[in-house]
Amino acid sequence: MTTHTTSESSAAAPLLDLQALVVSVRRRRRFWCSLALLGLLVGVAVAVLMPPPPTAVTKVLVAHQEDQPNDPGTLIRTDVALLQTTRIADMALRSLESPEKPEDFMQDYGGIGLTNNLLQINVTGDSDAEAVARAEALADAFVSDHVRRIQQAANAEAKALLDQRDRIRDELAQVNKEIGEASPDSGPKAAANLESLFARRAELTSRISDFDQRAAEARIGTPQLIDGTQIVDAPRAVRHSLPRSAATNGAVGLVLGLALGLAVAAVRTVVADRPVLRRDIAANLGASVIAELPYRSAKLWQRRRIRAARERLTTSLARTVRGSAEPVSLLELGCARGTSALALDLAGALAAEGPVVVVDGLPGLRLAGRRSKPGDPTVVSGERAATLSPQERRLGVGSVAPGTAWTDLQYLGTRTVLVVRAGHGSTAWLHTVARQLADQRIPVIGVVLIDPDPRDRTDGTLWDGPHTALRGQNELPARQNGGGTSQAVQAVGEGPRRTERQPMWAARVPDSDQEAR
C-alpha cells in the first residue's frame, strides 16, 4: 500500500511546478526589484562619475584595386587592422610632433568598417581640439600610407612587365641577328629556317607591344585609386549629452539588474524548495487550510482589511476551541509574533466564558516575559503548565521550527492548529512537522496560512471524496489490533473517515515504522 501510494505521488508530482515557481519568484519581488533599482543607480552613477573622454570622428573613403561587388568585407577589415599598427600611429605622432609612444597612442583610437569602402576612425584626447587634431593626423597618415602602398604595387607591377619586355627584346635582337647572318641562296632548308625566324620575330614584336601596353595600363590605373582614397567627412568632435548617457546607462543597468534578480530568485526558489501555494502546504502537512491571514502592512486601507480578517479568524478559532473537550495549542512556523498576538486575541475572546490561561512555549518566552496590561489574560511559562487547575481553560502557544522539543508539545495541547507562514518552511521540514506530530499523537485541526499569495487560486482542502472535505475535521491516529498500517479514526464528533487520500508525508513512511507506532 505504501509503495503504491509513493509511486502514485511520484508520478503525479511534476519535475518543475511552473505555477509554484512563478508565485515564489513574484513573492521575492523586493529582491529582484532591489537589484533592478541597484542596476539603474549604478548605470546612472557610471554616466555621471565616469563620463566618456572627448572624442573626434572622421570617415575615409578607401579605394581598393581588388574591389568586388560580392566582397564580404575582407578588404575593409584589413584596412582596420592596418590602422592599428605602429607605423601609422608613428606617422600621425610625427605630424603632431608628439613625444607619445605609438603603442600608447594606439590605445586611444580605433577604426570601424561601415561599408566595403568606408572607414570610420574614432580618436579620443584630453580635449575636443586635441581629439580633432589627432583624428585629422591619423586620417592623413592612413591615406598617405594607403596611397604609398598603391603606388608601390603599381610600380612593382609595371617594373615586372617592363623587365619581361626587356628580356623579349633581347631575344628579338638575337633573332634579328640570325636573320641578318642567314644567306638566301643556301637551299630549301635554309629558306625554311629563315621563314621560321621571320615568324618568331613577328611573335616577339607582338609580345613586346603587349607588355608595353600592360605596363602603361598599370600606371594609368594608379591615379584613379589614389584620387578615390580621400577623407569624405572632416574630423569633428562628438557631442555627449549627459542626460541621454545617464538614461541609456540607467536603462541598461535596470534591464541587467532585473534579469539577474529574476534569475537568482528562480534559482533560489528551486534550490530552497519552500512551498507557497496552499495546496502544497496542505498536502505536505497532511491538514487542510482552514483560514488565511494577510501579513501586516503599513498601508492604512490594508490595515483595516487585515484587522477585519484577524477578527474573523479569532471568532472561528474560538468556536473551534469551545467545541473541543481537550486543550488546544497554536504552533507557529515562521510567524511567532503573529501567533502570539493571535493567541492573546483568542484568549480574550474565550475569557467571557471562564478563566483562560495561555501557556507560553515559544523560544525566549515571548509572551511570558512581556509586560502585561490590564485586561490581558494570564500567561505562564511551559514549566508551570503541569500545575494549572483542570477547571481553567488552557491555550498553548509553541513553535515547530527547527530545534523544537517535540515531546514538550503534548503539554501545550493534545490538539493543535498550525500557524504557518507561506514560503517559510521547506518541503522536507513540513514533512518532518507532520511526522513528529503524528508520532506525538497530536491531531492537527487545520492550518492557518499567514501571508498567502493573493493570486493563489489553488485548493488547500484535503478531500476524502467528491463532496466531502476534511476541513476542520479532527483525526487521531489509532493502532489496529494485529498490527499493519495505522488508520485515521475520528476523535471528536462527526466527520467521514479519510480513506482515499493520504498526506504526502504519510506516503513516505515505511510499513515497519507505522507498525512500530
Side-chain angles (χ1 to χ4, degrees):
M1 178 62 181
T2 305
T3 305
H4 177 67
T5 307
T6 305
S7 62
E8 287 182 353
S9 301
S10 301
L15 182 61
L16 181 61
D17 192 345
L18 294 180
Q19 182 181 7
L21 178 62
V22 171
V23 171
S24 299
V25 171
R26 187 170 63 241
R27 289 175 63 86
R28 298 176 184 267
R29 56 183 174 272
R30 289 186 179 179
F31 172 75
W32 47 263
C33 286
S34 299
L35 282 185
L37 180 60
L38 179 62
L40 174 64
L41 296 178
V42 169
V44 174
V46 169
V48 174
L49 301 179
M50 301 177 62
T55 306
V57 62
T58 184
K59 294 176 183 164
V60 179
L61 180 63
V62 185
H64 304 98
Q65 189 173 5
E66 301 84 1
D67 273 339
Q68 297 293 334
N70 57 351
D71 179 42
T74 305
L75 297 177
I76 198 66
R77 286 197 297 269
T78 302
D79 294 331
V80 172
L82 289 173
L83 183 66
Q84 294 283 346
T85 56
T86 55
R87 182 176 64 184
I88 295 181
D90 185 62
M91 292 173 58
L93 290 175
R94 284 202 303 268
S95 64
L96 293 172
E97 298 180 357
S98 173
E100 187 177 1
K101 294 182 180 179
E103 292 80 3
D104 298 335
F105 181 49
M106 289 168 56
Q107 306 297 326
D108 297 337
Y109 71 86
I112 302 175
L114 301 179
T115 64
N116 291 344
N117 297 97
L118 191 60
L119 175 65
Q120 177 177 307
I121 302 175
N122 301 318
V123 188
T124 60
D126 295 336
S127 63
D128 290 342
E130 180 181 357
V132 171
R134 282 185 164 194
E136 184 177 4
L138 192 62
D140 292 338
F142 177 80
V143 171
S144 300
D145 182 76
H146 187 74
V147 168
R148 181 181 59 81
R149 286 187 286 106
I150 291 176
Q151 290 177 342
Q152 288 179 353
N155 292 334
E157 183 180 359
K159 184 177 182 302
L161 294 173
L162 294 177
D163 290 344
Q164 187 68 15
R165 182 202 62 181
D166 293 340
R167 285 194 298 269
I168 295 176
R169 280 182 176 178
D170 293 341
E171 187 177 352
L172 179 61
Q174 183 64 28
V175 171
N176 290 331
K177 181 179 179 182
E178 291 179 3
I179 293 174
E181 293 176 353
S183 176
D185 301 332
S186 300
K189 185 176 182 180
N193 187 22
L194 184 61
E195 184 178 355
S196 64
L197 289 176
F198 278 111
R200 178 63 177 167
R201 184 175 66 178
E203 178 185 1
L204 293 176
T205 302
S206 176
R207 293 180 61 184
I208 289 173
S209 300
D210 181 58
F211 279 113
D212 284 336
Q213 183 179 2
R214 290 172 60 185
E217 290 178 353
R219 289 194 179 96
I220 291 174
T222 301
Q224 298 177 356
L225 298 178
I226 293 176
D227 293 339
T229 302
Q230 57 183 327
I231 300 175
V232 295
D233 190 2
R236 56 183 176 82
V238 178
R239 302 301 177 187
H240 295 284
S241 174
L242 180 59
R244 180 179 299 177
S245 300
T248 303
N249 292 353
V252 172
L254 177 67
V255 173
L256 293 180
L258 180 62
L260 178 62
L262 290 175
V264 173
V267 171
R268 290 177 60 183
T269 297
V270 174
V271 172
D273 190 19
R274 298 172 182 261
V276 293
L277 300 178
R278 62 172 67 93
R279 72 178 179 197
D280 297 332
I281 295 176
N284 289 319
L285 288 174
S288 298
V289 176
I290 60 175
E292 296 178 353
L293 186 63
Y295 201 60
R296 61 181 184 273
S297 175
K299 300 178 181 179
L300 295 178
W301 61 89
Q302 291 185 355
R303 285 183 180 180
R304 284 200 203 105
R305 182 171 57 88
I306 294 174
R307 190 181 303 112
R310 185 170 168 179
E311 292 175 357
R312 291 194 301 268
L313 175 58
T314 302
T315 303
S316 176
L317 292 179
R319 189 182 302 113
T320 301
V321 173
R322 290 192 193 99
S324 174
E326 302 178 14
V328 178
S329 63
L330 301 179
L331 301 181
E332 64 85 22
L333 181 60
C335 49
R337 179 180 300 178
T339 305
S340 303
L342 182 61
L344 293 178
D345 294 343
L346 182 57
L350 297 173
E353 303 176 5
V356 180
V357 179
V358 178
V359 181
D360 183 12
L362 293 172
L365 299 178
R366 182 183 294 271
L367 289 176
R370 73 182 186 91
R371 182 180 300 177
S372 60
K373 300 179 181 179
D376 287 348
T378 304
V379 180
V380 298
S381 61
E383 291 80 2
R384 298 179 52 190
T387 63
L388 296 177
S389 172
Q391 286 75 22
E392 294 178 328
R393 187 185 296 273
R394 184 170 54 184
L395 179 63
V397 183
S399 174
V400 289
T404 298
W406 302 104
T407 55
D408 293 342
L409 297 180
Q410 293 181 349
Y411 299 100
L412 299 178
T414 55
R415 301 166 63 200
T416 186
V417 174
L418 293 177
V419 185
V420 181
R421 183 175 181 181
H424 180 79
S426 63
T427 299
W429 186 250
L430 295 182
H431 291 176
T432 301
V433 171
R435 286 285 303 273
Q436 292 291 343
L437 292 178
D439 289 343
Q440 298 299 321
R441 299 184 180 275
I442 301 176
V444 180
I445 300 175
V447 178
V448 175
L449 190 60
I450 305 296
D451 192 21
D453 185 76
R455 300 182 184 179
D456 183 9
R457 297 297 181 266
T458 59
D459 189 8
T461 303
L462 298 184
W463 295 89
D464 185 40
H467 305 293
T468 308
L470 292 178
R471 183 184 297 272
Q473 301 298 332
N474 307 315
E475 298 181 358
L476 182 63
R479 189 178 302 169
Q480 289 183 342
N481 296 330
T485 58
S486 62
Q487 297 180 346
V489 296
Q490 301 172 17
V492 178
E494 61 284 347
R497 177 180 308 207
R498 182 181 307 178
T499 57
E500 293 182 4
R501 179 171 180 178
Q502 292 181 345
M504 294 179 65
W505 61 268
R508 301 175 180 265
V509 182
D511 290 343
S512 58
D513 293 344
Q514 293 183 357
E515 293 174 1
R517 292 200 300 272

